[in-house]
Amino acid sequence: MEALLQPITDILGPLGPIVIAGVLGLMMVVIVIVMMMRQPEDPLDKLKKNRHAAASNGPQKERLRQGAGNQQLQKFSKFLEPEDVAELSKRQLMLRQAGYQSRDAVRVFHAAQFILGVLGLIAGVVYTNFIVGTEFMTTQKIAMWTLGPGGIGYYLPQYWVTRRVEERKEQITQGFPDSLDMMLVCVEAGQSLDQSITRVANELQASYPALADEFQIVSYEMKAGKDKVTVLNDMAERCGVQDVASFVTVLVQSASFGTSIAEALRVYAGEMRDKRVMRAEEAANKLPTKMTLATMMLTVPPLLIILVGPSVHGITQLGNLGN
């Protein structure tokens, strides 16, 4: 056994056997994935697909091709979806708040984590063992440079989705007062709440696409016959913004007690405008504090050089003359 491992150690270093074991493990994973993707299609699914294809036109064929993509992910649903229902619901809510409304969003997210993690691990192994070398590196550094890229690749989709959620919430918060003003104008002009939501969604598409998409989903769900209260509550949950949740509460209470929706919108729209002004004033008041450190770093050193520099130069010249 030592005679077999000695050439490997001489070529790849002390961790040569571990590297070879890792590469073989990755190859086995790839082989298993390829074998799973090449599994024969279920005859019933194939029959249904042929029936739909025979009675379909061009756009419907496109939808069938999209459905085939979903079926490819369906094969790995056991590995790409959490088995815990609470964890699955939490992940779906996070992706919807990030703007990914597809039913395969969770599977794509976990597939991206797996693929990027494996690619990062391969890149770390190649960089550590074949580019830099392990002769002058400690075991801790070898582990860090080998496993670090894999960990970064695994958590990169999580970081991306988190940033998307924050950016989308900020966009919804910024555009919500304007949407309420437009909705108030539509309601006072005689349109129903459903029609005003549709009109606001179309008007906001250019300036605030995230908020426009949420209103568009609400419009489609109402047209489909879903309960209005449930639709509005789902919108508040998807947005994850307190202002939207409060707005939904106002509309639900207005519908429950039979009060005027226009009056409720007028009062709440005024409050949202005042709240936006307060946020702008708060940001403006924070600005001097944030600029203090930058001002000191960029102003004080040049000022000291200008004031003290000539004196230091003169003292140096006097010292040289004395010598």
Side-chain angles (χ1 to χ4, degrees), residues 148-198:
I152 293 174
Y154 181 80
Y155 286 104
L156 189 61
Q158 179 72 31
Y159 173 76
W160 171 262
V161 171
T162 303
R163 287 292 303 273
R164 284 270 301 178
V165 170
E166 296 300 326
E167 292 176 359
R168 202 163 182 270
K169 285 183 179 180
E170 181 65 24
Q171 187 181 134
I172 291 174
T173 303
Q174 293 294 331
F176 194 61
D178 295 336
S179 68
L180 290 181
D181 291 336
M182 284 189 283
M183 193 177 299
L184 176 61
V185 172
C186 294
V187 171
E188 289 182 341
Q191 291 184 342
S192 64
L193 182 61
D194 302 358
Q195 294 173 338
S196 63
I197 288 176
T198 303

Side-chain angles (χ1 to χ4, degrees), residues 152-282:
I152 293 174
Y154 181 80
Y155 286 104
L156 189 61
Q158 179 72 31
Y159 173 76
W160 171 262
V161 171
T162 303
R163 287 292 303 273
R164 284 270 301 178
V165 170
E166 296 300 326
E167 292 176 359
R168 202 163 182 270
K169 285 183 179 180
E170 181 65 24
Q171 187 181 134
I172 291 174
T173 303
Q174 293 294 331
F176 194 61
D178 295 336
S179 68
L180 290 181
D181 291 336
M182 284 189 283
M183 193 177 299
L184 176 61
V185 172
C186 294
V187 171
E188 289 182 341
Q191 291 184 342
S192 64
L193 182 61
D194 302 358
Q195 294 173 338
S196 63
I197 288 176
T198 303
R199 181 61 182 270
V200 169
N202 295 330
E203 294 293 335
L204 291 176
Q205 193 64 48
S207 55
Y208 302 103
L211 185 58
D213 292 341
E214 293 297 334
F215 279 124
Q216 198 73 44
I217 293 173
V218 171
S219 175
Y220 288 152
E221 290 182 345
M222 286 183 177
K223 289 179 182 179
K226 196 173 180 179
D227 182 60
K228 186 180 297 184
V229 176
T230 304
V231 171
L232 294 175
N233 289 328
D234 291 343
M235 175 186 174
E237 187 177 9
R238 284 195 308 270
C239 293
V241 178
Q242 183 60 39
D243 295 342
V244 179
S246 302
F247 165 71
V248 169
T249 303
V250 168
L251 288 185
V252 171
Q253 290 179 351
S254 177
S256 300
F257 296 113
T259 58
S260 173
I261 295 179
E263 186 64 28
L265 283 174
R266 184 180 296 106
V267 174
Y268 196 74
E271 293 180 357
M272 288 296 100
R273 285 194 298 271
D274 296 339
K275 195 172 182 180
R276 182 166 61 179
V277 173
M278 292 174 62
R279 282 197 296 265
E281 292 177 350
E282 181 182 359

Side-chain angles (χ1 to χ4, degrees), residues 50-96:
N50 292 334
R51 287 180 178 178
H52 286 294
S56 63
N57 50 23
Q60 292 176 342
K61 291 181 180 179
E62 181 66 24
R63 288 198 295 270
L64 285 176
R65 285 195 289 270
Q66 294 175 359
N70 297 334
Q71 291 176 5
Q72 292 293 333
L73 290 176
Q74 182 67 29
K75 295 180 180 179
F76 307 98
S77 61
K78 185 177 180 181
F79 305 98
L80 298 178
E81 287 184 355
E83 296 183 357
D84 187 9
V85 178
E87 180 66 23
L88 178 60
S89 301
K90 180 180 178 181
R91 187 69 67 185
Q92 287 176 342
L93 177 60
M94 183 186 69
L95 291 172
R96 287 173 182 171

